[in-house]
Amino acid sequence: MPDKRLYLLDAMALVYRAYYSLMRSPRITSKGKNTNAQFGFTNTLYDLIQKQQPSHIAVVWDTHAPTTRHDDFENYKGNRQAAPEDLLAAIPDIKEIIRGFNIPCIEKDGYEADDIIGTLALEAAGKGYEVYMVTPDKDYGQVVRDNIFIFKPATKGGTFELMGPKEVCAKWDIDRVEQVIDMLGLMGDAVDNIPGIPGIGEKTAARLLKQYDSLENILEHAGELKGSLGEKVRAGRNKAILSKKLATIITNVPVAFNEADFLLSGWNREILEAIFAELEFKTLSKRVLGVAGAEKSVPRQGNLFPVESDEPAPASKPAQKDLFAAISDLKTIADTPHAYHLVNTPENFADFIQHARMHTEMAFDTETTSVDPRTASLVGMSFSWKNGEAWYIPCSSNRDEVLSLLAQLKPLFDNPEIKWIGQNIKYDLIILKNYGIELAGPYFDTMLAHYALNPGGKQGMDYLSSVYLQYQPVSIETLIGAKGKTQGNMRDVPVEDVKEYAAEDADITFQLKQVFEPKIREAKAEDLFYEVENPLARVLADMEFEGVGLDVPFLDQYGQALGKDMAAVENTVYGLAGVSFNLASPKQLGEVLFERLQLDEKAKKTKTGQYATGEAVLNKLAHKHPIVENILTYRELSKLKSTYVDALPKLIHPETCRLHTSFNQVVVSSGRLSSNNPNLQNIPIRTERGREIRKAFIARNDDHVLVSADYSQIELRIVAALSGDEHMIEAFRAQKDIHRATAAKVYGVREEEVTAEMRRSAKAVNFGIIYGQSAFGLSENLGISRIEARNIIESYFKEYHAIKILMEQSVAFAQQHGYVQTMKGRRVQIADINSANATVRGFAERVAINAPIQGSAADMIKLAMIRIYDELQARKLKAKMILQVHDELVFDVPLEELESVKELVHDTMVLALPLPGDVPVEVSVGHGINWLDAH
């Protein structure tokens, strides 16, 4: 690797890229600060330093001062939206981070970053440097030379792209890099509002340059060009000359490349620690600055109360105080008096029991060998009922000895008067169920309490502790290493170290409860927490523990059938293409569709220079050539086989022989549940092949059936109820086909005259409205013109005017309060609702419209789950709730309980959350030997 490698970073291009890449899941600090741009930029910078190892580096900025381009063309960059406020607010932080890395920031009034980078690149290249211009901006291609490159940072999960002269010429279809500015002069640049010649696109511009070599030569021979092309070139002469000048990077900016100033050296730890703490970059801080660790030794096991080895500790093992070295600069619990007790003898255990019996509220936490509760074994348990005091009971690796220990603790667990406090207590409930133990008393989950207060925020205990207790706990990675194949487990850590870690967890959890309990009252979130979120944890724990049966032989047969279908479709594609290629390669597929078959002259390329071949792109082309429909079919078959048919059997529990998904209660801010291992929310239902996957989910045995209960169009019913729209409410009361009724209203025809196409359009509008869909979105969805889509939407709102008012009120409420709320009072923060940037604001407005609707539906099914669970328990029925997917619940039911359970489920779901305006709630209930038959 050369010693002289200069990296010049285009600051604002990278800042924008970082900000927007995280817009759908923004990073918000405990103080409400958006840190998308800071986080993304820092990751890019650190990755570049670590992986590319530059010898010299600088970050180059634009300034607010006008440039000579503005003098030449008043509207230069005039079509750009105002930058999002969060993005602008991030710039001082980013500059401070750069300062912490001891990297120079360079800017000069009157010039853009492009000009400064171009000037420095050429000067450094002349001094023997390899220069890398770090930017996603294609215009830099004009500066590229044999030792000057464009370096496009990697997108998430991808790799960086390096562009030298060969790659630049290939991208633009030109002969030499200097022609980049000729291309821009001809075709313009919408991003910078450079006009170019109206009607001249990239392919036409490249063809003209191959014939005439330069813009000036093209204009000189404009009279030779025939037809409309000649007219366009002759009429656009002045715009072309201006555009080339605007696009030309200035390379004589009065800046100098002083090598010593650009030399990359060690960074300023103090500055980085301070700014990372302010931005709450805990993981990133560890990654960049490192943390203190602890050596591991293996304790002896085998007794009811296992004790740490009495052999001398290795010389390399740090003292216990070193375990906290990484957080010694914070105000910590460790700095105040605390007592963490190790319960590892019969005498200690008796002392623990004596104290525990005196309390009716205590924090409880388990330490285990795995994050998967259905395969994990107990390593220990910690308890706390007083600030600064906690007890840790280690457990043997012998299951029988653990069962004996738990039997001695059973009087505590069976006491209905004890309230158990936990952080993600669902996990601990499942761990105890593995050993036949249930908690009889109520519980208070601190993670769910914070979720009720701030559903869009982070919910981890370490984060909550640092924010609400001003204390950074010892990280589990400190004990068992970072996540990955080499990570150990708590069984391998010395008992004394585990005691400090585990007791601290219980202590912190106990203190967090005291913080969150009054906050829930203040936020008027008691109904949401105590009626919905908190009691649901026990329901989900039982569902995860129970699992669902999986028909592996069926999946084997279906996998073989899918494989044959894939091979047949693949051959059909090759026949239609006239060539064999790798169907899984977007690059090869793009070349076949857009170069060989010429399906779209305006085909767009991705940032990596490949043609876009995503599902949305292919759906638009489906009518142009039969190959497209076959490619979509192949993709569906491939996804079904790899994601479900091949993957699901591998997730079966080795002992229960059932599939145990994990339900996530605090991931989606609207309140929706998600799941993983496997993700059941994404099991396809729209196509016949996709629905077949549900056949694999089966009842426990021949004496059981699956019962499926599904809310019918619940979000539309909530829209009708919240808006009070008489037309939609009446349609639901009359039990009409809502999409047919909507089509009749929108198109002004009788319901019996509604065509399938009309109904399809009305259905798209009905569901699109829930997500704030625009005319553009509807046109893309239906494959119709924007004018037609706009007319449909206008007709829709004319007939359903109250719905339009509801949408406007939701946005206005969010603009005034910064949040929207569901029928149960769940607040969803809308941080960017008043942004001056239209793109950011538009996204926030769509969230403001959708969140109260989707969130109310989530509240409804959660209430139904809790009440059904309680009723099944109260009636001592053997039926089990096993799955929740979107608006559907699935139960494993003994045949003798079938009718009573179906009635119970139906009635409870209907009445779970009555809708305003007496809008009827409809639930369809079915049963069968598998999930598909039950649906």
Side-chain angles (χ1 to χ4, degrees):
M1 185 175 289
D3 294 332
K4 301 171 71 173
R5 293 162 52 87
L6 171 63
Y7 283 74
L8 299 170
L9 280 62
D10 183 352
M12 287 309 298
L14 298 176
V15 169
Y16 268 91
R17 175 179 174 274
Y19 177 81
Y20 282 107
S21 68
L22 296 170
M23 192 170 74
R24 290 190 175 274
S25 52
R27 297 180 59 88
I28 308 296
T29 69
S30 59
K31 298 178 182 178
K33 183 174 185 175
N34 184 308
T35 60
N36 283 6
Q38 298 95 315
F39 183 80
F41 185 93
T42 306
N43 264 321
T44 297
L45 178 61
Y46 183 68
D47 281 346
L48 187 146
I49 292 172
Q50 292 296 104
K51 296 176 182 178
Q52 305 307 319
Q53 299 180 16
S55 61
H56 295 70
I57 191 170
V59 180
V60 184
W61 296 84
D62 297 304
T63 71
H64 294 294
T67 69
T68 57
R69 295 181 180 87
H70 293 92
D71 295 335
D72 293 332
F73 184 47
E74 185 178 353
N75 290 325
Y76 177 66
K77 295 190 177 181
N79 61 346
R80 289 195 176 182
Q81 298 179 20
E85 293 82 354
D86 290 335
L87 185 150
L88 294 176
I91 291 175
D93 293 334
I94 292 173
K95 287 187 173 181
E96 182 69 358
I97 290 167
I98 295 168
R99 190 168 76 93
F101 278 100
N102 284 327
I103 294 171
C105 283
I106 302 172
E107 57 188 47
K108 194 166 187 65
D109 285 348
Y111 298 95
E112 297 182 43
D114 313 39
D115 303 322
I116 299 171
I117 289 176
T119 300
L120 293 171
L122 290 172
E123 183 182 350
K127 295 181 178 181
Y129 280 80
E130 277 191 1
V131 182
Y132 299 86
M133 301 178 292
V134 183
T135 178
D137 191 343
K138 63 183 183 299
D139 298 1
Y140 281 87
Q142 62 189 277
V143 185
V144 166
R145 301 290 188 271
D146 287 340
N147 57 346
I148 301 177
F149 306 89
I150 293 176
F151 182 99
K152 291 188 176 182
T155 54
K156 186 176 182 180
T159 58
F160 68 86
E161 182 182 3
L162 198 62
M163 298 183 70
K166 179 181 176 181
E167 290 77 16
V168 170
C169 290
K171 177 176 177 58
W172 292 93
D173 192 16
I174 55 180
D175 298 323
R176 50 194 177 82
V177 295
E178 291 82 3
Q179 289 177 313
V180 168
I181 50 177
D182 297 293
M183 288 286 293
L184 293 170
L186 287 165
M187 59 181 281
D189 187 347
V191 175
D192 290 340
N193 202 31
I194 296 175
I197 298 177
I200 299 293
E202 184 174 343
K203 291 185 178 180
T204 302
R207 179 162 51 86
L208 288 171
L209 285 173
K210 285 189 183 302
Q211 186 174 358
Y212 294 104
D213 188 64
S214 69
L215 172 65
E216 290 76 13
N217 206 28
I218 293 170
L219 297 177
E220 185 176 337
H221 293 83
E224 301 174 6
L225 301 175
K226 306 298 183 182
S228 62
L229 176 59
E231 292 175 6
K232 292 174 182 176
V233 172
R234 289 187 289 273
R237 176 184 181 86
N238 293 336
K239 286 184 178 178
I241 294 171
L242 172 64
S243 296
K244 180 172 180 177
K245 183 179 180 182
L246 294 174
T248 300
I249 290 177
I250 299 168
T251 57
N252 60 350
V253 178
V255 293
F257 175 58
N258 297 316
E259 298 180 59
D261 296 337
F262 290 68
L263 183 66
L264 180 62
S265 57
W267 41 76
N268 189 315
R269 187 182 185 91
E270 185 177 345
I271 291 176
L272 291 179
E273 283 179 342
I275 188 66
F276 288 166
E278 179 185 339
L279 299 175
E280 299 176 8
F281 288 172
K282 177 188 171 186
T283 303
L284 185 57
S285 180
K286 289 179 183 177
R287 183 178 170 218
V288 175
L289 302 174
V291 294
E295 297 291 331
K296 292 180 286 187
S297 61
V298 181
R300 289 180 179 170
Q301 302 290 344
N303 299 318
L304 184 61
F305 299 102
V307 297
E308 187 177 7
S309 171
D310 55 4
E311 295 176 4
S316 59
K317 179 183 176 182
Q320 181 63 32
K321 63 180 181 180
D322 290 336
L323 205 58
F324 298 85
I327 50 170
S328 60
D329 56 331
L330 297 175
K331 176 184 177 183
T332 68
I333 295 174
D335 294 330
T336 59
H338 73 271
Y340 292 163
H341 310 284
L342 179 62
V343 181
N344 63 342
T345 67
E347 293 77 17
N348 289 343
F349 185 79
D351 189 39
F352 163 77
I353 291 295
Q354 181 182 352
H355 283 83
R357 284 174 176 167
M358 300 168 58
H359 300 276
T360 57
E361 184 172 283
M362 66 181 74
F364 171 68
D365 187 39
T366 58
E367 299 304 330
T368 64
T369 57
S370 169
V371 295
D372 178 2
R374 287 302 272 124
T375 59
S377 298
L378 263 175
V379 173
M381 296 167 285
S382 54
F383 302 80
S384 177
W385 47 75
K386 178 182 178 183
N387 289 1
E389 186 170 18
W391 305 69
Y392 175 67
I393 305 177
C395 295
S396 167
S397 59
N398 183 296
R399 180 177 175 84
D400 289 339
E401 292 173 357
V402 176
L403 290 171
S404 177
L405 171 62
L406 291 171
Q408 298 182 56
L409 291 169
K410 203 167 186 299
L412 280 182
F413 295 137
D414 286 348
N415 187 346
E417 302 300 319
I418 295 179
K419 175 183 283 188
W420 300 94
I421 305 165
Q423 168 76 14
N424 186 20
I425 203 168
K426 172 169 72 77
Y427 179 90
D428 305 298
L429 293 174
I430 298 172
I431 292 297
L432 291 180
K433 287 173 75 68
N434 291 338
Y435 293 89
I437 298 292
E438 303 276 351
L439 295 181
Y443 56 82
F444 184 106
D445 192 317
T446 52
M447 179 180 74
L448 297 178
H450 189 257
Y451 179 65
L453 294 167
N454 183 14
K458 300 176 184 178
Q459 312 299 343
M461 191 200 73
D462 288 6
Y463 171 80
L464 300 180
S465 176
S466 65
V467 171
Y468 294 97
L469 303 178
Q470 290 77 54
Y471 171 60
Q472 183 64 58
V474 175
S475 166
I476 191 169
E477 286 86 0
T478 304
L479 276 69
I480 64 174
K483 292 181 180 178
K485 294 182 180 179
T486 60
Q487 188 178 51
N489 69 63
M490 297 300 277
R491 185 81 71 193
D492 303 325
V493 181
V495 170
E496 187 64 29
D497 291 354
V498 180
K499 181 259 291 184
E500 288 294 313
Y501 171 85
E504 180 185 77
D505 277 2
D507 182 11
I508 289 171
T509 301
F510 184 76
Q511 294 190 46
L512 285 174
K513 190 261 187 181
Q514 298 169 61
V515 173
F516 292 148
E517 195 169 38
K519 285 184 178 293
I520 287 172
R521 287 195 298 270
E522 294 165 12
K524 299 180 179 177
E526 291 133 307
D527 284 356
L528 178 64
F529 176 66
Y530 291 108
E531 292 184 22
V532 182
E533 296 300 345
N534 197 59
L536 186 66
R538 193 186 300 273
V539 179
L540 296 178
D542 266 23
M543 291 170 66
E544 291 184 25
F545 184 83
E546 183 68 20
V548 62
L550 196 69
D551 190 341
V552 176
F554 164 77
L555 287 176
D556 288 341
Q557 295 174 4
Y558 193 40
Q560 293 174 23
L562 288 176
K564 292 178 181 178
D565 289 346
M566 287 171 64
V569 174
E570 189 174 18
N571 287 330
T572 301
V573 170
Y574 295 158
L576 293 168
V579 64
S580 295
F581 63 99
N582 183 357
L583 261 173
S585 167
K587 181 177 184 296
Q588 294 183 33
L589 177 59
E591 291 169 352
V592 168
L593 295 180
F594 304 119
E595 295 179 7
R596 185 179 181 88
L597 299 180
Q598 296 286 307
L599 293 189
D600 187 359
E601 293 182 359
K602 299 180 179 178
K604 295 180 179 179
K605 291 188 175 182
T606 65
K607 293 179 179 179
T608 62
Q610 299 176 2
Y611 289 104
T613 58
E615 186 175 353
V617 173
L618 295 184
N619 281 330
K620 291 181 190 177
L621 300 173
H623 66 285
K624 289 191 173 185
H625 198 291
I627 194 174
V628 178
E629 193 63 46
N630 280 277
I631 290 168
L632 288 169
T633 299
Y634 181 86
R635 285 186 175 180
E636 179 194 6
L637 295 171
S638 177
K639 182 176 181 180
L640 288 174
K641 192 172 187 304
S642 62
T643 306
Y644 302 107
V645 176
D646 294 343
L648 289 177
K650 298 175 183 176
L651 298 174
I652 291 178
H653 191 283
E655 294 179 8
T656 68
C657 298
R658 293 170 71 80
L659 196 67
H660 300 267
T661 189
S662 176
F663 291 99
N664 304 313
Q665 200 172 341
V666 299
V667 171
V668 185
S669 62
S670 67
R672 284 279 194 188
L673 292 175
S674 64
S675 63
N676 63 293
N677 291 327
N679 179 359
L680 299 179
Q681 312 299 321
N682 286 345
I683 288 184
I685 59 172
R686 293 183 180 179
T687 65
E688 184 177 347
R689 290 188 182 95
R691 287 191 291 271
E692 283 289 298
I693 298 295
R694 293 191 171 206
K695 278 188 177 179
F697 294 81
I698 56 176
R700 177 174 293 278
N701 52 40
D702 292 342
D703 297 327
H704 286 68
V705 291
L706 295 187
V707 170
S708 167
D710 196 0
Y711 279 115
S712 172
Q713 298 165 336
I714 192 60
E715 292 187 352
L716 279 179
R717 293 172 189 269
I718 291 171
V719 169
L722 295 181
S723 67
D725 190 277
E726 295 179 2
H727 294 311
M728 189 167 281
I729 292 175
E730 179 55 35
F732 280 126
R733 285 177 178 167
Q735 296 185 322
K736 292 183 178 181
D737 176 338
I738 189 63
H739 304 311
R740 181 172 294 277
T742 298
K745 291 284 185 184
V746 170
Y747 289 100
V749 299
R750 292 179 299 174
E751 288 186 26
E752 56 269 26
E753 297 173 338
V754 170
T755 65
E757 192 63 29
M758 290 177 179
R759 186 183 182 278
R760 174 173 170 264
S761 297
K763 182 177 181 180
V765 178
N766 272 332
F767 288 121
I769 288 301
I770 297 171
Y771 297 94
Q773 189 175 57
S774 64
F776 172 76
L778 183 62
S779 69
E780 292 283 294
N781 190 8
L782 294 177
I784 60 179
S785 70
R786 293 190 197 180
I787 294 175
E788 187 179 353
R790 189 181 301 113
N791 290 338
I792 292 174
I793 290 176
E794 287 176 356
S795 297
Y796 183 93
F797 283 134
K798 183 178 179 181
E799 295 298 328
Y800 298 103
H801 187 62
I803 294 177
K804 184 172 181 60
I805 293 174
L806 172 67
M807 294 167 62
E808 292 170 344
Q809 288 175 339
S810 293
V811 172
F813 185 92
Q815 289 171 337
Q816 181 178 354
H817 300 281
Y819 66 87
V820 290
Q821 59 187 18
T822 68
M823 291 172 60
K824 289 297 290 182
R826 183 191 307 279
R827 291 184 179 182
V828 180
Q829 302 297 322
I830 315 289
D832 300 311
I833 192 67
N834 293 309
S835 174
N837 181 276
T839 302
V840 175
R841 186 176 65 252
F843 180 79
E845 289 174 352
R846 290 191 291 275
V847 174
I849 292 167
N850 173 250
I853 301 163
Q854 189 181 92
S856 294
D859 294 343
M860 180 182 290
I861 200 166
K862 284 180 173 179
L863 284 167
M865 292 170 72
I866 294 164
R867 291 168 188 172
I868 292 170
Y869 175 85
D870 288 345
E871 194 63 25
L872 290 174
Q873 298 287 103
R875 297 189 192 182
K876 300 187 184 308
L877 294 172
K878 297 178 182 178
K880 297 289 186 180
M881 190 185 318
I882 56 174
L883 297 176
Q884 189 276 340
V885 180
H886 302 305
D887 301 318
E888 180 182 5
L889 298 177
V890 181
F891 303 81
D892 204 337
V893 182
L895 287 171
E896 66 269 19
E897 296 178 359
L898 178 59
E899 293 308 319
S900 59
V901 168
K902 287 174 70 173
E903 181 181 4
L904 161 64
V905 169
H906 175 274
D907 294 348
T908 306
M909 289 179 70
V910 167
L911 298 174
L913 184 62
L915 297 179
D918 292 328
V919 175
V921 173
E922 185 175 314
V923 177
S924 59
V925 183
H927 69 275
I929 60 173
N930 61 59
W931 189 7
L932 181 62
D933 290 348
H935 198 266

